[in-house]
Short mmCIF file of all heavy atoms in Angstrom, two decimals:
data_model
loop_
_atom_site.label_atom_id
_atom_site.label_comp_id
_atom_site.label_asym_id
_atom_site.label_seq_id
_atom_site.Cartn_x
_atom_site.Cartn_y
_atom_site.Cartn_z
N LYS A 41 249.86 32.06 -25.76
CA LYS A 41 250.87 32.58 -26.68
C LYS A 41 250.25 32.86 -28.05
O LYS A 41 250.49 33.92 -28.64
CB LYS A 41 252.01 31.58 -26.82
CG LYS A 41 253.11 32.00 -27.76
CD LYS A 41 254.18 30.92 -27.87
CE LYS A 41 255.23 31.30 -28.89
NZ LYS A 41 256.21 30.21 -29.09
N GLN A 42 249.45 31.93 -28.54
CA GLN A 42 248.79 32.12 -29.83
C GLN A 42 247.79 33.26 -29.79
O GLN A 42 247.67 34.03 -30.76
CB GLN A 42 248.12 30.82 -30.27
CG GLN A 42 249.11 29.75 -30.68
CD GLN A 42 248.45 28.44 -31.07
OE1 GLN A 42 247.22 28.35 -31.16
NE2 GLN A 42 249.26 27.42 -31.31
N ALA A 43 247.09 33.41 -28.66
CA ALA A 43 246.13 34.52 -28.53
C ALA A 43 246.85 35.86 -28.59
O ALA A 43 246.39 36.80 -29.25
CB ALA A 43 245.35 34.38 -27.22
N LEU A 44 248.00 35.95 -27.92
CA LEU A 44 248.78 37.19 -27.95
C LEU A 44 249.29 37.48 -29.35
O LEU A 44 249.18 38.60 -29.86
CB LEU A 44 249.95 37.10 -26.96
CG LEU A 44 250.95 38.26 -26.99
CD1 LEU A 44 250.27 39.58 -26.63
CD2 LEU A 44 252.13 37.97 -26.07
N GLU A 45 249.86 36.46 -30.00
CA GLU A 45 250.40 36.64 -31.36
C GLU A 45 249.29 37.04 -32.33
O GLU A 45 249.49 37.92 -33.18
CB GLU A 45 251.09 35.36 -31.82
CG GLU A 45 252.40 35.09 -31.09
CD GLU A 45 253.01 33.75 -31.44
OE1 GLU A 45 252.35 32.95 -32.17
OE2 GLU A 45 254.13 33.47 -30.98
N HIS A 46 248.13 36.41 -32.20
CA HIS A 46 247.01 36.73 -33.10
C HIS A 46 246.53 38.16 -32.87
O HIS A 46 246.31 38.91 -33.83
CB HIS A 46 245.86 35.75 -32.89
CG HIS A 46 244.64 36.10 -33.69
ND1 HIS A 46 244.58 35.94 -35.06
CD2 HIS A 46 243.45 36.66 -33.31
CE1 HIS A 46 243.40 36.38 -35.50
NE2 HIS A 46 242.71 36.81 -34.46
N TYR A 47 246.38 38.54 -31.61
CA TYR A 47 245.91 39.89 -31.30
C TYR A 47 246.90 40.94 -31.83
O TYR A 47 246.51 41.94 -32.44
CB TYR A 47 245.71 40.08 -29.80
CG TYR A 47 245.16 41.44 -29.46
CD1 TYR A 47 243.79 41.70 -29.56
CD2 TYR A 47 246.00 42.48 -29.09
CE1 TYR A 47 243.28 42.96 -29.28
CE2 TYR A 47 245.50 43.75 -28.81
CZ TYR A 47 244.14 43.98 -28.91
OH TYR A 47 243.63 45.22 -28.65
N ASN A 48 248.19 40.70 -31.58
CA ASN A 48 249.19 41.66 -32.03
C ASN A 48 249.22 41.78 -33.55
O ASN A 48 249.29 42.89 -34.09
CB ASN A 48 250.58 41.29 -31.49
CG ASN A 48 250.72 41.64 -30.02
OD1 ASN A 48 249.91 42.37 -29.46
ND2 ASN A 48 251.74 41.10 -29.39
N SER A 49 249.16 40.65 -34.24
CA SER A 49 249.24 40.70 -35.70
C SER A 49 247.96 41.25 -36.33
O SER A 49 248.00 41.94 -37.34
CB SER A 49 249.57 39.32 -36.28
OG SER A 49 248.53 38.41 -36.00
N ALA A 50 246.80 40.97 -35.70
CA ALA A 50 245.53 41.40 -36.28
C ALA A 50 245.12 42.82 -35.87
O ALA A 50 244.47 43.52 -36.64
CB ALA A 50 244.41 40.42 -35.88
N ILE A 51 245.52 43.24 -34.67
CA ILE A 51 245.01 44.52 -34.16
C ILE A 51 246.13 45.48 -33.74
O ILE A 51 246.23 46.59 -34.27
CB ILE A 51 244.07 44.27 -32.95
CG1 ILE A 51 242.96 43.37 -33.41
CG2 ILE A 51 243.61 45.58 -32.32
CD1 ILE A 51 241.65 43.39 -32.81
N TYR A 52 246.95 45.06 -32.80
CA TYR A 52 247.95 45.96 -32.21
C TYR A 52 248.95 46.48 -33.25
O TYR A 52 249.14 47.69 -33.38
CB TYR A 52 248.67 45.24 -31.07
CG TYR A 52 249.73 46.04 -30.38
CD1 TYR A 52 249.41 46.93 -29.37
CD2 TYR A 52 251.08 45.89 -30.73
CE1 TYR A 52 250.39 47.67 -28.72
CE2 TYR A 52 252.06 46.63 -30.10
CZ TYR A 52 251.71 47.50 -29.09
OH TYR A 52 252.70 48.24 -28.47
N ASP A 53 249.59 45.56 -33.96
CA ASP A 53 250.62 45.97 -34.93
C ASP A 53 250.06 46.87 -36.04
O ASP A 53 250.67 47.90 -36.35
CB ASP A 53 251.31 44.75 -35.54
CG ASP A 53 252.15 43.99 -34.50
OD1 ASP A 53 252.44 44.58 -33.44
OD2 ASP A 53 252.49 42.82 -34.76
N PRO A 54 248.91 46.53 -36.65
CA PRO A 54 248.38 47.42 -37.69
C PRO A 54 248.07 48.83 -37.19
O PRO A 54 248.28 49.80 -37.92
CB PRO A 54 247.10 46.71 -38.16
CG PRO A 54 247.34 45.28 -37.86
CD PRO A 54 248.15 45.27 -36.59
N ILE A 55 247.58 48.94 -35.93
CA ILE A 55 247.30 50.27 -35.39
C ILE A 55 248.59 51.08 -35.30
O ILE A 55 248.65 52.23 -35.73
CB ILE A 55 246.62 50.16 -34.00
CG1 ILE A 55 245.17 49.72 -34.15
CG2 ILE A 55 246.69 51.50 -33.26
CD1 ILE A 55 244.45 49.45 -32.84
N TYR A 56 249.62 50.48 -34.75
CA TYR A 56 250.86 51.23 -34.58
C TYR A 56 251.57 51.49 -35.91
O TYR A 56 252.25 52.51 -36.07
CB TYR A 56 251.76 50.54 -33.56
CG TYR A 56 251.34 50.94 -32.16
CD1 TYR A 56 250.38 50.20 -31.47
CD2 TYR A 56 251.84 52.09 -31.57
CE1 TYR A 56 249.96 50.60 -30.22
CE2 TYR A 56 251.42 52.49 -30.31
CZ TYR A 56 250.47 51.74 -29.64
OH TYR A 56 250.05 52.14 -28.40
N GLU A 57 251.42 50.58 -36.86
CA GLU A 57 251.97 50.84 -38.20
C GLU A 57 251.27 52.02 -38.85
O GLU A 57 251.90 52.86 -39.50
CB GLU A 57 251.84 49.59 -39.07
CG GLU A 57 252.83 48.49 -38.69
CD GLU A 57 252.49 47.15 -39.31
OE1 GLU A 57 251.60 47.11 -40.19
OE2 GLU A 57 253.12 46.15 -38.92
N GLU A 58 249.94 52.12 -38.65
CA GLU A 58 249.18 53.23 -39.21
C GLU A 58 249.57 54.55 -38.54
O GLU A 58 249.73 55.58 -39.20
CB GLU A 58 247.68 52.97 -39.07
CG GLU A 58 246.78 54.08 -39.59
CD GLU A 58 246.89 54.33 -41.10
OE1 GLU A 58 247.58 53.55 -41.80
OE2 GLU A 58 246.28 55.31 -41.56
N ILE A 59 249.72 54.52 -37.22
CA ILE A 59 250.16 55.73 -36.52
C ILE A 59 251.53 56.17 -37.01
O ILE A 59 251.78 57.35 -37.26
CB ILE A 59 250.18 55.51 -34.99
CG1 ILE A 59 248.75 55.36 -34.47
CG2 ILE A 59 250.88 56.67 -34.27
CD1 ILE A 59 248.67 54.92 -33.04
N GLU A 60 252.43 55.21 -37.15
CA GLU A 60 253.78 55.52 -37.61
C GLU A 60 253.74 56.12 -39.02
O GLU A 60 254.53 56.99 -39.37
CB GLU A 60 254.65 54.25 -37.60
CG GLU A 60 256.11 54.47 -37.88
CD GLU A 60 256.81 55.36 -36.86
OE1 GLU A 60 256.38 55.42 -35.70
OE2 GLU A 60 257.81 56.00 -37.25
N ARG A 61 252.78 55.67 -39.82
CA ARG A 61 252.67 56.16 -41.20
C ARG A 61 252.14 57.59 -41.23
O ARG A 61 252.67 58.44 -41.94
CB ARG A 61 251.75 55.24 -42.01
CG ARG A 61 251.69 55.57 -43.50
CD ARG A 61 250.70 54.68 -44.22
NE ARG A 61 249.33 54.98 -43.86
CZ ARG A 61 248.62 56.02 -44.33
NH1 ARG A 61 249.18 56.88 -45.16
NH2 ARG A 61 247.37 56.21 -43.96
N ILE A 62 251.09 57.85 -40.44
CA ILE A 62 250.44 59.16 -40.56
C ILE A 62 250.94 60.19 -39.55
O ILE A 62 250.88 61.39 -39.79
CB ILE A 62 248.90 59.03 -40.45
CG1 ILE A 62 248.50 58.47 -39.08
CG2 ILE A 62 248.33 58.19 -41.57
CD1 ILE A 62 247.00 58.43 -38.85
N SER A 63 251.41 59.71 -38.41
CA SER A 63 251.81 60.64 -37.35
C SER A 63 252.79 59.95 -36.40
O SER A 63 252.43 59.56 -35.30
CB SER A 63 250.56 61.11 -36.59
OG SER A 63 250.90 62.06 -35.61
N PRO A 64 254.05 59.81 -36.83
CA PRO A 64 255.02 59.09 -35.99
C PRO A 64 255.17 59.73 -34.62
O PRO A 64 255.05 60.95 -34.47
CB PRO A 64 256.33 59.22 -36.78
CG PRO A 64 255.93 59.60 -38.15
CD PRO A 64 254.63 60.33 -38.05
N ARG A 65 255.44 58.91 -33.64
CA ARG A 65 255.66 59.43 -32.27
C ARG A 65 256.85 60.38 -32.29
O ARG A 65 257.96 59.99 -32.64
CB ARG A 65 255.93 58.28 -31.31
CG ARG A 65 256.12 58.73 -29.87
CD ARG A 65 256.53 57.57 -28.98
NE ARG A 65 256.80 58.02 -27.63
CZ ARG A 65 255.95 57.91 -26.61
NH1 ARG A 65 254.76 57.37 -26.82
NH2 ARG A 65 256.27 58.34 -25.42
N PRO A 66 256.62 61.64 -31.91
CA PRO A 66 257.72 62.61 -31.99
C PRO A 66 258.65 62.52 -30.79
O PRO A 66 258.27 62.04 -29.72
CB PRO A 66 256.99 63.96 -31.98
CG PRO A 66 255.74 63.68 -31.22
CD PRO A 66 255.36 62.25 -31.50
N ASP A 67 259.88 62.96 -31.02
CA ASP A 67 260.82 63.12 -29.93
C ASP A 67 260.36 64.36 -29.14
O ASP A 67 260.08 65.40 -29.73
CB ASP A 67 262.22 63.34 -30.50
CG ASP A 67 263.28 63.38 -29.43
OD1 ASP A 67 262.93 63.27 -28.24
OD2 ASP A 67 264.47 63.53 -29.77
N LEU A 68 260.26 64.26 -27.85
CA LEU A 68 259.76 65.37 -27.05
C LEU A 68 260.88 66.35 -26.68
O LEU A 68 260.88 66.91 -25.58
CB LEU A 68 259.09 64.83 -25.78
CG LEU A 68 257.71 64.22 -26.02
CD1 LEU A 68 257.26 63.39 -24.82
CD2 LEU A 68 256.69 65.30 -26.32
N CYS A 69 261.81 66.54 -27.59
CA CYS A 69 262.93 67.44 -27.34
C CYS A 69 263.14 68.36 -28.54
O CYS A 69 262.75 68.04 -29.66
CB CYS A 69 264.22 66.66 -27.10
SG CYS A 69 264.17 65.65 -25.61
N PHE A 70 263.75 69.49 -28.27
CA PHE A 70 264.19 70.37 -29.35
C PHE A 70 265.58 70.89 -29.01
O PHE A 70 265.99 70.88 -27.84
CB PHE A 70 263.20 71.52 -29.58
CG PHE A 70 263.03 72.45 -28.41
CD1 PHE A 70 263.80 73.60 -28.31
CD2 PHE A 70 262.08 72.19 -27.43
CE1 PHE A 70 263.63 74.47 -27.24
CE2 PHE A 70 261.90 73.06 -26.36
CZ PHE A 70 262.69 74.20 -26.25
#
Side-chain angles (χ1 to χ4, degrees):
K41 179 182 176 185
Q42 289 178 6
L44 173 62
E45 289 173 354
H46 175 72
Y47 183 82
N48 284 346
S49 64
I51 302 208
Y52 179 83
D53 293 343
I55 286 174
Y56 277 89
E57 286 166 10
E58 179 64 7
I59 291 171
E60 188 62 27
R61 187 183 70 77
I62 62 175
S63 183
R65 182 186 176 100
D67 186 358
L68 285 166
C69 295
F70 62 93

